[in-house]
Amino acid sequence: MSVICVIGTGYVGLVTGTCLADLGNTVTCIDIVQEKIDRLNKGILPIYEPGLEEMVERNVQAGRLRFTTSYPEGLENSEFIFIAVNTPTGNNQGGADMRYVESAARSIAENLDHYAIVINKSTVPVGSGDVVSRVISNNLKSPDASFSVVSNPEFLREGAALLDFQNPDRIVLGSSEPEAAHKVARLYLQLRAPFVITDLYTAEMIKYASNAFLATKISFINEIAQVCERLGADVKQVAVGMGYDKRIGHSFLDAGLGYGGSCFPKDVRALAHMADEAGLHPQMLRAVMDINHDQRRLVVTKLNNLLGSLRGTTIGILGLAFKPNTDDMREAPAVDIIHWVTSQGAHVRVYDPVAAETGREALMRENVNLQDVTFCKTSYEVADQADALVVVTEWNEFKSLNMQKIRAAMRQPILIDGRNIYEPSEMSRYGFTYRGMGRATSPAPSILPAGDTTSDMSGQVAQETLIASES
Ligand code: UDX
Ligand code: UDX
């Protein structure tokens, strides 16, 4: 087993450090925020991530995981040093801000006194491995210190981070020293995943291209959703029909309010910026971002179409987090939507299972007047005297609400389903004026597994009848 140091205890750093400890390694996590380290040493996590608290506690108890702000302590005897600090969007037209990665590299250089492999885990622009090399070489203090640099991008999703770390689709490693990349690969052997071992630039690019492609799939289906709405088709059925084509696949074809979070928005911006800097015109990436921005605005358009001016109305909002199973509010659609409707004079009633606190902070950061926002304890409280209800985050608990009770509590039965979690025909039966994202109100599809003629077909078309009708 190895001695590992991880710099940064955010989503990526804390999950990476804890999971590597859980594989049997001895891990020290460093973070510059003293308060975060003090809370972590009391077992209090800075983030909500399912299963992480138990795993942190188990590995701290076992003496395999510890937290410090001290670089000398963290780097002591470390064979591998992971950089997992934030790379937010800088103020240079969307490019990634590398200040924190460079400051972490400088701190490594000033405290390293032996050979170690430095691994970039943060999402960093193409060429950043060289930047890290240069910063460390220029600031090395100890004559006994030496290092190699490896790029090892992370692909974990928030809300499913432990699962994604332990069951990666692939492990990507890039370095100008293949031996160093192979040493890092050995850390992941127990995960039994395929390795892509390549050069630094290509590894860095794989991360951006992967995120940008997933964001493109989302913006594509959202554009199709708008076409469906105008032509009377149902985007959910369209996505199912498309997804059976193995070249397309079912995942990341959920039309809705578009993507948010700490990664897609900033990574697509950063990639477009890199293309610009390289003298190219990233038309597709620009379109992906424009479609995504417009998508969340559509909710306000639908509300204005149904309610006219929102002045004096009450709008119920279900969900704050940028997606379910996280409390992360970074680039969350809810913040923009609440900002836009309160700016029109509406009062908002909102509920989120875990992101109420982070949501309140995010709204304040965006200068939303919290007088205009009531934080509720349940979805039913949100519906109370509401003129419309908007589903913003597709938490599971919203899918099994008593919609009759919701309807009865509302002043006007208007339901904007920003994540297409309900069936249009069913909601109409409850008496809602229902608007999904790209949903025509046609009956639910019948999808029979290939060759299945036995399953209960009440309300569904028997295979034979299908074949008969086609001949
Ligand atoms: C990180 C990367 O920022 C992002 O590029 C990548 O896509 C995902 O991983 P995340 O883990 O979500 O994102 O970042 P964040 O939650 O902001 O955590 C970064 C941590 O690094 C913070 O705890 C911060 O205090 C710490 N940090 C930052 C340091 O310890 N040192 C620094 O110099 C800067
Ligand atoms: C993403 C990548 O999936 C992950 O590999 C990378 O390491 C970090 O960025 P994350 O941001 O946690 O992970 O969330 P993800 O589940 O990918 O969702 C991103 C956004 O896209 C969310 O706002 C989600 O609501 C939206 N989304 C996702 C859709 O609108 N439709 C979909 O079909 C899928």
Side-chain angles (χ1 to χ4, degrees):
M1 284 300 118
S2 304
V3 178
I4 296 171
C5 174
V6 176
I7 302 166
T9 60
Y11 283 88
V12 170
L14 190 54
V15 169
T16 302
T18 306
C19 288
L20 286 170
D22 209 48
L23 290 175
N25 302 292
T26 304
V27 177
T28 303
C29 292
I30 299 176
D31 200 292
I32 47 172
V33 180
Q34 184 66 52
E35 190 221 342
K36 236 181 204 183
I37 293 298
D38 296 344
R39 288 165 63 85
L40 276 163
N41 282 326
K42 294 195 195 98
I44 304 165
L45 271 54
I47 56 172
Y48 170 88
E49 184 61 43
L52 186 58
E53 197 161 320
E54 297 75 37
M55 191 186 273
V56 166
E57 197 185 334
R58 186 171 64 241
N59 285 281
V60 168
Q61 294 303 331
R64 286 192 298 266
L65 182 61
R66 62 184 182 147
F67 304 100
T68 180
T69 55
S70 151
Y71 270 82
E73 204 186 313
L75 295 188
E76 197 179 5
N77 303 323
S78 59
E79 300 155 76
F80 302 94
I81 304 167
F82 285 85
I83 298 179
V85 298
N86 41 334
T87 53
T89 299
N91 42 29
N92 53 348
Q93 293 92 40
D97 181 348
M98 284 288 290
R99 275 178 299 154
Y100 307 116
V101 169
E102 291 179 23
S103 115
R106 203 168 298 109
S107 302
I108 292 170
E110 288 157 1
N111 295 283
L112 190 63
D113 60 5
H114 56 278
Y115 170 76
I117 299 177
V118 177
I119 302 141
N120 251 335
K121 198 73 171 141
S122 294
T123 306
V124 287
V126 176
S128 301
D130 295 346
V131 173
V132 167
S133 279
R134 209 172 29 253
V135 170
I136 297 179
S137 303
N138 296 349
N139 296 282
L140 270 184
K141 291 278 179 293
S142 159
D144 306 326
S146 60
F147 67 98
S148 305
V149 171
V150 170
S151 164
N152 173 216
E154 183 49 57
F155 300 97
L156 59 83
R157 291 164 299 157
E158 293 179 24
L162 299 189
L163 188 75
D164 286 353
F165 186 98
Q166 294 162 333
N167 307 281
D169 291 329
R170 81 302 208 182
I171 305 273
V172 174
L173 297 164
S175 181
S176 53
E177 301 172 56
E179 182 40 38
H182 284 100
K183 283 196 178 133
V184 179
R186 279 195 275 278
L187 289 176
Y188 297 111
L189 283 180
Q190 296 169 60
L191 303 180
R192 302 191 176 292
F195 287 100
V196 178
I197 299 188
T198 179
D199 61 82
L200 270 170
Y201 294 2
T202 304
E204 291 158 346
M205 192 58 186
I206 290 173
K207 174 60 183 178
Y208 277 107
S210 302
N211 274 3
F213 182 76
L214 293 170
T216 303
K217 266 187 110 171
I218 296 167
S219 282
F220 176 83
I221 200 68
N222 282 332
E223 183 146 86
I224 294 296
Q226 294 190 39
V227 180
C228 287
E229 228 164 83
R230 293 290 170 82
L231 303 185
D234 185 324
V235 73
K236 265 193 113 165
Q237 296 177 37
V238 170
V240 170
M242 289 167 62
Y244 275 110
D245 184 324
K246 293 183 188 57
R247 297 164 300 172
I248 301 173
H250 288 293
S251 65
F252 280 65
L253 287 179
D254 295 332
L257 293 175
Y259 59 79
S262 65
C263 292
F264 284 178
K266 80 170 171 61
D267 292 348
V268 176
R269 280 195 295 266
L271 184 56
H273 176 75
M274 279 186 259
D276 271 341
E277 293 271 294
L280 300 163
H281 304 296
Q283 295 149 39
M284 180 176 291
L285 297 174
R286 297 238 169 278
V288 166
M289 293 188 272
D290 295 346
I291 292 167
N292 197 59
H293 181 268
D294 298 349
Q295 205 59 17
R296 45 187 79 179
R297 255 210 185 274
L298 275 179
V299 165
V300 183
T301 311
K302 289 174 193 283
L303 286 169
N304 286 133
N305 290 348
L306 291 163
L307 290 166
S309 155
L310 301 184
R311 186 157 303 289
T313 64
T314 298
I315 306 295
I317 301 277
L318 291 181
L320 282 166
F322 83 94
K323 64 176 211 178
N325 306 321
T326 180
D327 63 350
D328 198 339
M329 287 298 298
R330 288 179 281 188
E331 311 232 14
V335 175
D336 289 341
I337 292 167
I338 292 174
H339 201 192
W340 291 327
V341 296
T342 51
S343 320
Q344 283 198 27
H347 184 84
V348 162
R349 298 173 64 78
V350 64
Y351 164 66
D352 187 288
V354 301
E357 237 2 83
T358 50
R360 189 189 298 274
E361 290 155 17
L363 290 171
M364 285 199 294
R365 273 197 304 274
E366 295 301 318
N367 304 320
V368 170
N369 177 354
L370 292 189
Q371 306 283 325
D372 300 333
V373 181
T374 302
F375 289 84
C376 303
K377 298 238 171 331
T378 69
S379 304
Y380 300 103
E381 257 186 61
V382 168
D384 190 20
Q385 293 309 301
D387 295 293
L389 196 58
V390 182
V391 178
V392 173
T393 316
E394 66 276 28
W395 286 93
N396 278 338
E397 67 176 73
F398 299 155
K399 298 171 183 169
S400 51
L401 292 173
N402 174 336
M403 297 311 280
Q404 228 136 13
K405 191 171 160 195
I406 292 276
R407 162 105 181 57
M410 296 178 70
R411 194 156 51 206
Q412 300 187 65
I414 290 173
L415 180 55
I416 310 286
D417 185 355
R419 295 294 180 180
N420 290 341
I421 62 173
Y422 303 123
E423 270 316 310
S425 51
E426 198 185 341
M427 291 306 119
S428 309
R429 274 199 298 279
Y430 279 116
F432 285 103
T433 302
Y434 174 89
R435 295 286 181 276
M437 305 298 279
R439 310 290 313 268
T441 50
S442 53
S446 59
I447 300 171
L448 297 176
D452 172 351
T453 58
T454 58
S455 61
D456 157 30
M457 288 189 268
S458 58
Q460 298 194 0
V461 181
Q463 183 95 358
E464 302 81 19
T465 327
L466 259 178
I467 297 163
S469 66
E470 274 149 14
S471 54

